[in-house]
Amino acid sequence: MPMTRISLTDKSWQLCGWRPYSWQIGRSMELGMTLRCDIAPMPAVIPGSVQVNLLAAGWLKDWNHGLNSLSVEWVENRHWEFFTRFEAGQLPAGGESVTLCAGCLDHSGWILVDEQKVATFCGALKRQRIDLGTALSDGNAHSIGIVFDCPPDEQGQIGFTSRSRHFKPRYNYSWDFCPRFVPIGIGDDLWLEFGQPAAELIRITPRLLADFSTGELSAVINARCDGQTARVRVLKDGVELLNETRELTPGENALGLTLPSVEAWWPNGMGEHPLYDVSVSLVDGAEIARRRVGFKHVAWETCEGAPADALPWICVVNGRRLFLQGVNWTPLRLDYLSVTADQYRQRLDLYRDMGCNVLRVWGGAFLEREVFYNFCDEAGLLVWQEFPLSSSGIDNYPPEDPAAIAELTVIARDYVRRRCHHASRLLWCGGNELQHAEGRKDGVGIPVTLEHPCMAAFAEVVAAEDPDARCLPTSSSGPRFMAFESNYGKGQHHDVHGPWNLEKLDEWKRYWAGDDALLRSETGMPGAASLECIERYRGEESPWPPAHDNRYYMHACSWWLQWNKFSHELEGMEPDAGLKRYVELSQTLQAEALTVAATTCRDRFPRCGGILLWMGHDMFPCPSNTSIIDFDATPKLAYHAVKDVYLNAPHLS
């Protein structure tokens, strides 16, 4: 019997909260009565977090205002159950095995069928396929519950990278640009499969050959039985360009297909971004999968004057050199489970119009959503996607124990298989600022290499699953993590991070005038949010003065205050006038500083391969941060200043 798929995302769901494990005991031993949840059932929307549903039901205040995020942390100390019901006859009645499939369940818990525990799950960063047995396939009425355990005790920004084990997005546990907010819930599609599919697409990768006109597709299909025939069709704007069939044998089948004449996909500012629809089906069967691809050819050249041991940092797309210019992409919201397509589109349009051609998806977060990659395909925005590891300040060294590496390998393979078909994907990277000190595994200064066992495992995954893509050990990479003026001219600055602040603009100009880095993959400067944004989200807190004894600023952005720079001009001013002047001074300094950095790197091309600003947008309404777009998607002065630099990049001339 053919496999039947039933979507659960459009079902009516309820959400309730339990004191930990009280849902499991069922009856009170002391009183002999049925235990009840202490947060009564309420309507729920999925995909979505527990928190966003509690907000809609009036249980929470908006965590983006004032100090409200502090009052949300109690949510982490309950078990939360999403549940739905099916009437008799609503589900297939053939007795087949049933699988619950999920794009994202954050983070761990139990699956209930008719209030009985039948399975467990764990891992927010990988897809889940959970065997539910045959209980749901008898045609009777049934209920399904997904109970989420309390979130794991993961590390925020400060901690020990080598001890990372849970691989839940770490930024949610607090970072220098956001307070603690730990989402729980369902973050992607959810569906049931009755029976087993006859075949499934494991991955598909496109490539453009060196003649820049011939396209190739490499597909891997897993067939579960003998005698299957796959059909692959490629269409552009509804016109069929290829229709081929291939016989399959049980197990994984590697298929190679050639399109003699395709249009090249170009990064933003270099040309068009044509996309092709690929349909994979079984002859005499249903469609297995559909993907949208683009064809590009990427090579890497050594920067002019680079040290002999340096990695190549000049990106060459379809035979043309490209100055990499863009921003570091952090999540759009604290509650990443509930971000909308419109929010993605709004930010990505801003980056496209700014002249960006690459976005680095930072390793303290997650694999960015399919909709993000789709929009990047359409906009010509290359994606530098990192695996889920980040520095921790005290210990920045990746895990070495086999169990942690094995789990990270599973996550990395799932990352690559889900996104390797996208035209926008540029490279994969082991994580953010993974490093150590000279002769020690703790400390800072020296980035890890692909010889580290965890980075080597990542590289093996990429080589097997997406062999045309580059795999970096970490960002930054090379002999030194940061560039210091005292080391200019010594060949130590390859891909570097920093600086993120300055004392005096003249010192900043001098620093950049002598720069010899081959790539600046992260550098920034604080700038205040708009006056309107500060006023809208301050809640009951006073935004004046913007100093370290003001709890509003300490809650949101203690790293990025600039009171010491401007206090001589602001002291004595009335609050309204002073805050307005503070925003003007801060945004102007940020714009001037980032203009210097971006212009210097641009003018050194091809001795310098590019610059990526830290960071693009705010995920939380920080009154001051290194972002160039604030929480309400309002560009700061720096956005417009760097836009002028990016739109005059060398690859556009």
Side-chain angles (χ1 to χ4, degrees):
M1 180 179 293
M3 186 269 291
T4 301
R5 173 172 170 161
I6 295 179
S7 173
L8 298 179
T9 54
D10 53 2
K11 284 280 294 177
S12 293
W13 287 82
Q14 296 277 303
L15 171 69
C16 63
W18 298 86
R19 298 180 188 185
Y21 300 104
S22 59
W23 56 271
Q24 189 170 348
I25 197 170
R27 298 180 66 84
S28 165
M29 291 183 293
E30 293 85 354
L31 303 177
M33 61 181 289
T34 301
L35 293 179
R36 299 183 183 276
C37 53
D38 59 63
I39 308 295
M42 67 195 78
V45 174
I46 66 166
S49 67
V50 168
Q51 287 90 336
V52 78
N53 282 294
L54 290 175
L55 178 65
W59 276 92
L60 299 178
K61 295 180 180 180
D62 189 338
W63 45 85
N64 294 307
H65 290 262
L67 308 184
N68 286 352
S69 70
L70 297 174
S71 68
V72 177
E73 294 183 19
W74 68 269
V75 176
E76 301 172 38
N77 297 306
R78 296 289 192 279
H79 284 181
W80 295 97
E81 181 182 2
F82 289 86
F83 63 92
T84 189
R85 293 186 172 88
F86 292 89
E87 300 299 328
Q90 287 186 320
L91 296 174
E96 303 95 337
S97 62
V98 182
T99 305
L100 176 66
C101 304
C104 173
L105 296 177
D106 190 352
H107 168 265
S108 61
W110 305 266
I111 307 299
L112 310 183
V113 173
D114 300 330
E115 301 182 2
Q116 299 299 308
K117 184 171 60 175
V118 298
T120 61
F121 63 90
C122 184
L125 300 178
K126 60 189 179 184
R127 292 173 291 183
Q128 303 279 349
R129 292 184 59 85
I130 303 164
D131 182 10
L132 302 184
T134 60
L136 290 172
S137 57
D138 60 4
N140 295 326
H142 292 287
S143 66
I144 296 176
I146 303 175
V147 180
F148 287 90
D149 198 353
C150 299
D153 186 19
E154 185 52 271
Q155 305 169 88
Q157 185 170 17
I158 307 302
F160 305 84
T161 301
S162 64
R163 302 178 191 176
S164 294
R165 294 296 180 272
H166 300 294
F167 312 118
K168 176 175 166 62
R170 281 182 56 189
Y171 81 95
N172 288 127
Y173 291 81
S174 81
W175 222 265
D176 59 77
F177 45 75
C178 65
R180 182 185 179 102
F181 179 93
V182 182
I184 303 163
I186 301 167
D188 211 330
D189 289 342
L190 188 72
W191 69 95
L192 295 173
E193 290 182 357
F194 286 73
Q196 293 290 325
E200 59 183 334
L201 179 69
I202 302 299
R203 67 177 184 274
I204 188 164
T205 51
R207 66 174 60 88
L208 184 67
L209 300 189
D211 62 5
F212 309 131
S213 63
T214 303
E216 287 188 347
L217 290 173
S218 175
V220 176
I221 299 174
N222 181 42
R224 286 192 166 83
C225 55
D226 206 354
Q228 303 289 334
T229 302
R231 182 184 302 278
V232 180
R233 300 172 66 228
V234 179
L235 301 92
K236 185 175 185 298
D237 300 327
V239 178
E240 187 175 86
L241 305 178
L242 180 143
N243 187 331
E244 293 190 12
T245 59
R246 301 291 175 85
E247 298 299 320
L248 304 178
T249 58
E252 292 193 358
N253 297 258
L255 281 61
L257 303 109
T258 300
L259 289 91
S261 179
V262 296
E263 299 176 41
W265 184 95
W266 290 96
N268 186 30
M270 297 183 77
E272 299 300 315
H273 330 297
L275 298 171
Y276 295 75
D277 292 310
V278 181
S279 170
V280 181
S281 61
L282 293 178
V283 174
D284 301 326
E287 185 174 65
I288 299 172
R290 181 178 291 268
R291 300 286 186 270
R292 191 174 60 163
V293 306
F295 296 92
K296 70 179 186 302
H297 183 278
V298 175
W300 296 88
E301 295 180 358
T302 302
C303 294
E304 289 186 5
D309 62 342
L311 295 174
W313 285 112
I314 301 297
C315 185
V316 183
V317 180
N318 306 332
R320 289 176 55 189
R321 285 179 166 184
L322 172 69
F323 179 72
L324 293 173
Q325 56 189 34
V327 301
N328 286 265
W329 175 279
T330 50
L332 286 178
R333 289 291 185 265
L334 291 175
D335 184 5
Y336 79 102
L337 299 176
S338 305
V339 173
T340 67
D342 287 344
Q343 289 171 324
Y344 276 112
R345 173 68 80 182
Q346 185 181 41
R347 302 312 187 280
L348 291 170
D349 283 352
L350 284 170
Y351 295 131
R352 177 202 61 204
D353 295 345
M354 179 183 168
C356 293
N357 55 38
V358 62
L359 305 173
R360 171 180 167 244
V361 180
W362 169 72
F366 49 87
L367 175 69
E368 262 302 347
R369 298 294 185 231
E370 181 76 6
V371 64
F372 166 85
Y373 268 86
N374 286 339
F375 288 162
C376 287
D377 291 345
E378 296 169 4
L381 294 168
L382 294 163
V383 178
W384 170 327
Q385 175 73 57
E386 297 193 341
F387 296 123
L389 286 173
S390 182
S391 59
S392 301
I394 300 172
D395 161 359
N396 308 290
Y397 201 68
E400 286 187 304
D401 68 281
I405 293 176
E407 177 63 16
L408 282 165
T409 300
V410 170
I411 293 170
R413 182 174 293 109
D414 198 47
Y415 272 30
V416 177
R417 287 183 173 184
R418 281 194 271 176
R419 302 291 184 261
C420 64
H421 65 278
H422 283 280
S424 54
R425 65 94 172 80
L426 175 65
L427 61 82
W428 302 94
C429 179
N432 173 68
E433 299 180 350
L434 306 174
Q435 55 186 305
H436 57 97
E438 192 76 50
R440 306 202 317 266
K441 291 184 178 180
D442 60 351
V444 298
I446 303 175
V448 298
T449 69
L450 290 177
E451 294 181 359
H452 185 285
C454 188
M455 304 302 104
F458 286 152
E460 289 177 6
V461 168
V462 174
E465 304 287 346
D466 192 10
D468 288 338
R470 186 176 187 177
C471 183
L472 297 174
T474 185
S475 177
S476 58
S477 61
R480 291 292 181 269
F481 162 60
M482 291 182 63
F484 294 97
E485 288 182 89
S486 59
N487 288 327
Y488 284 169
K490 299 179 182 179
Q492 296 183 352
H493 304 142
H494 299 182
D495 164 26
V496 297
H497 282 192
W500 299 270
N501 215 328
L502 63 85
E503 289 302 319
K504 297 179 180 179
L505 189 59
D506 287 345
E507 294 176 358
W508 182 267
K509 290 178 179 178
R510 186 192 68 222
Y511 173 89
W512 287 96
D515 183 26
D516 65 349
L518 307 181
L519 183 76
R520 290 278 183 172
S521 59
E522 185 178 318
T523 192
M525 173 65 194
S530 69
L531 187 62
E532 294 77 13
C533 186
I534 294 174
E535 289 290 349
R536 183 176 296 118
Y537 294 102
R538 68 182 179 88
E540 298 179 356
E541 303 303 310
S542 171
W544 185 260
H548 283 97
D549 58 357
N550 184 323
R551 66 180 191 175
Y552 171 52
Y553 291 89
M554 290 299 292
H555 177 66
C557 61
S558 61
W559 287 34
W560 306 116
L561 293 184
Q562 297 167 302
W563 178 251
N564 291 340
K565 290 184 175 66
F566 307 133
S567 59
H568 65 283
E569 183 171 341
L570 298 173
E571 283 182 328
M573 296 185 71
E574 292 296 319
D576 289 348
L579 186 61
K580 180 180 179 181
R581 183 60 178 153
Y582 166 72
V583 170
E584 292 171 350
L585 290 170
S586 176
Q587 288 206 6
T588 297
L589 183 58
Q590 183 189 37
E592 291 174 342
L594 294 184
T595 296
V596 169
T599 301
T600 302
C601 291
R602 179 199 67 187
D603 291 349
R604 289 199 305 112
F605 182 80
R607 288 178 293 135
C608 174
I611 182 170
L612 283 72
L613 303 183
W614 183 271
M615 46 195 275
H617 51 266
D618 275 331
M619 69 175 69
F620 183 78
C622 295
S624 182
N625 192 21
T626 52
S627 66
I628 59 173
I629 299 171
D630 71 21
F631 183 73
D632 283 337
T634 302
K636 301 178 184 179
L637 290 180
Y639 170 92
H640 298 289
V642 176
K643 178 179 179 179
D644 289 341
V645 180
Y646 281 3
L647 293 180
N648 288 284
H651 68 273
L652 299 178
S653 60

